[in-house]
Amino acid sequence: MTVDTQLAGSGSNGPLASGHAHPITLALQGGGSLGAFAWGVLDRLLDVPSLRFEVVSGASAGAMNAALLVQGLATGGPAEAKRLLETFWRRVAVASGSPDIGGAGWLFPFSGIMAPMAEALRQTTKGLAQRQVNPLGLNPLRGVLDGLFDPSALGREGAPSLVVSATRVSTGEARLFRDGEVTAEVLLASSCLPQLFPAVEIEGEPYWDGGFASNPPLRALIEAGAPADIVLVRTTPVQRPDLPTSAAAVLERTEEMTFGAALRQELRSLALAQRLLADLPSAPGVLARLRDARLHVIGAEEEFRALKIGSHQDPSWAFLQEMRALGHGAANQWLAADLTSVGIRSTVDLSGFAGPVLEPHISMQGMGTAQAGATSVRRTTRKAPMPIARA
């Protein structure tokens, strides 16, 4: 999972972005309808002239947000980016048949095309196969993107670099698509839930949701030279202290754990690298970039925990607006607390991710050859790290 070429910093929040703005990398998690939270975060950050988006990555719903953000900045600046993001989420609501979206007569061709998918998603909890719940293999997101997403706008000079992840079905590994490689098919692959949709083939290889393997791309961006300040936008809670007991709650938590595992591994990898490299001031190239990376997180831990079960499947306009407002508020809180740290230090304490999974203690059992080969390893219990904790 690599980005083969350098991610040169030339992006902007507009055609005339200030040369004094801090360059940042945005990493957007997926999360179904909770992706509207990231929409709200982006909508707010686009108003901040002291931030310049140079690299944007995403998986699943995060990939949709990332692609339209970059397209908008490339073609018309912050105002166009805001328009495209709102249009996308309005189309999602209309496609779901949401009855509470006004002034959307111009979107009538999309009305209700996603409603069968919402019911199909509920049917997957009953153990039905994808071909049973969606026998025609239709993906309503194709219609949502049609006429809205323009891949020719990607990779333009002065525009942020875009990196989107999808998961190779054959190996379970992530493939990262960059700039001009990102097409509508790539976005559909990045958001392809195998319970609902057939795998998306790209260059003869089938792909599933990018969230399985890279949600969102993070370390690869650092290694490729993305700006050292990474703003991670989470769309799920880090922890759920209460044990889920109902079938629906168990299923939802297992999905969160599945789609969060890749991020936890990336954060642990980064934490370990920084601990090992801390005393190497002359570390070269990639090692220096890993050592100097500064992580920031925008999320809404308590509010995410309080959402009703199945909220990530709720595409109603009322809920999407609620998530947008929540994202807007979370961005405001982050700006007030942490904006001044950008370019200086991390605002997330990664040390909890760098601890050992097993204690480094091996005891020899006896003096004989057979006994000398026997070892015992004691497992430790570690408190789950909180990546939203401020440093």
Side-chain angles (χ1 to χ4, degrees):
M1 184 180 66
T2 61
V3 179
D4 295 332
T5 55
Q6 291 290 97
L7 289 168
S10 60
S12 71
N13 284 16
L16 299 176
S18 170
H20 301 292
H22 294 294
I24 64 171
T25 299
L26 282 171
L28 311 179
Q29 246 191 341
S33 296
L34 300 182
F37 171 84
W39 164 33
V41 171
L42 297 175
D43 195 71
R44 178 65 184 92
L45 295 185
L46 283 165
D47 291 332
V48 182
S50 61
L51 295 177
R52 185 172 74 249
F53 307 156
E54 290 201 357
V55 179
V56 187
S57 76
S60 199
M64 300 285 181
N65 281 328
L68 293 170
L69 170 69
V70 171
Q71 176 184 329
L73 291 175
T75 57
E80 178 63 4
K82 289 187 174 192
R83 185 191 73 81
L84 289 175
L85 286 166
E86 179 172 353
T87 302
F88 171 78
W89 288 104
R90 278 183 174 272
R91 285 190 174 195
V92 168
V94 171
S96 72
S98 179
D100 54 353
I101 181 167
W106 60 278
L107 286 173
F108 180 78
F110 303 97
S111 182
I113 62 174
M114 199 177 287
M117 293 299 101
E119 175 59 26
L121 193 56
R122 288 187 284 270
Q123 293 299 321
T124 62
T125 63
K126 301 178 181 180
L128 298 181
Q130 176 263 310
R131 290 187 178 181
Q132 292 175 285
V133 299
N134 184 13
L136 298 180
L138 301 177
N139 190 335
L141 286 174
R142 189 181 299 278
V144 171
L145 290 173
D146 187 36
L148 182 66
F149 174 57
D150 178 12
S152 70
L154 306 178
R156 293 184 182 181
E157 184 177 356
S161 290
L162 172 66
V163 179
V164 167
S165 68
T167 304
R168 289 184 170 95
V169 179
S170 59
T171 65
E173 296 179 340
R175 176 177 171 183
L176 303 186
F177 298 84
R178 180 181 172 188
D179 293 332
E181 297 176 328
V182 179
T183 63
E185 290 301 307
V186 167
L187 294 181
L188 293 175
S190 184
S191 56
C192 177
L193 291 174
Q195 306 97 312
L196 282 183
F197 311 119
V200 177
E201 284 200 8
I202 300 173
E203 299 171 356
E205 185 164 12
Y207 289 89
W208 281 345
D209 198 296
F212 288 120
S214 183
N215 188 24
L218 196 63
R219 176 165 172 161
L221 306 185
I222 300 170
E223 293 177 345
D229 285 282
I230 302 104
V231 179
L232 169 64
V233 181
R234 296 193 64 113
T235 56
T236 56
V238 178
Q239 292 182 329
R240 287 195 183 274
D242 298 329
L243 179 69
T245 54
S246 70
V250 169
L251 176 63
E252 180 153 310
R253 186 54 182 154
T254 56
E255 289 178 349
E256 287 177 347
M257 292 166 66
T258 298
F259 283 101
L263 176 59
R264 294 181 70 85
Q265 288 299 317
E266 288 219 47
L267 292 175
R268 174 170 169 75
S269 173
L270 179 58
L272 287 170
Q274 292 194 333
R275 187 178 72 177
L276 294 172
L277 296 169
D279 297 326
L280 295 177
S282 60
V286 171
L287 297 181
R289 290 195 284 269
L290 289 171
R291 181 199 60 203
D292 298 337
R294 298 180 290 269
L295 185 65
H296 316 274
V297 175
I298 301 178
E301 183 74 7
E302 296 301 323
E303 291 84 351
F304 288 153
R305 291 180 190 173
L307 291 174
K308 66 181 181 180
I309 294 173
S311 291
H312 65 293
Q313 302 171 11
D314 182 358
S316 68
W317 185 236
F319 181 73
L320 298 181
Q321 286 184 304
E322 179 185 341
M323 287 299 96
R324 177 189 177 277
L326 181 61
H328 214 270
N332 275 330
Q333 292 179 12
W334 180 80
L335 289 168
D338 296 330
L339 179 60
T340 55
S341 296
V342 174
I344 301 172
R345 65 180 183 91
S346 291
T347 53
V348 173
D349 182 7
L350 287 175
S351 60
F353 286 93
V357 177
L358 298 175
E359 284 189 19
H361 175 73
I362 299 177
S363 59
M364 305 304 291
Q365 304 296 318
M367 299 298 293
T369 302
Q371 290 177 321
T375 61
S376 64
V377 184
R378 292 181 293 151
R379 186 179 299 273
T380 66
T381 300
R382 293 192 301 138
K383 183 177 180 181
M386 292 288 290
I388 60 171
R390 297 182 58 200

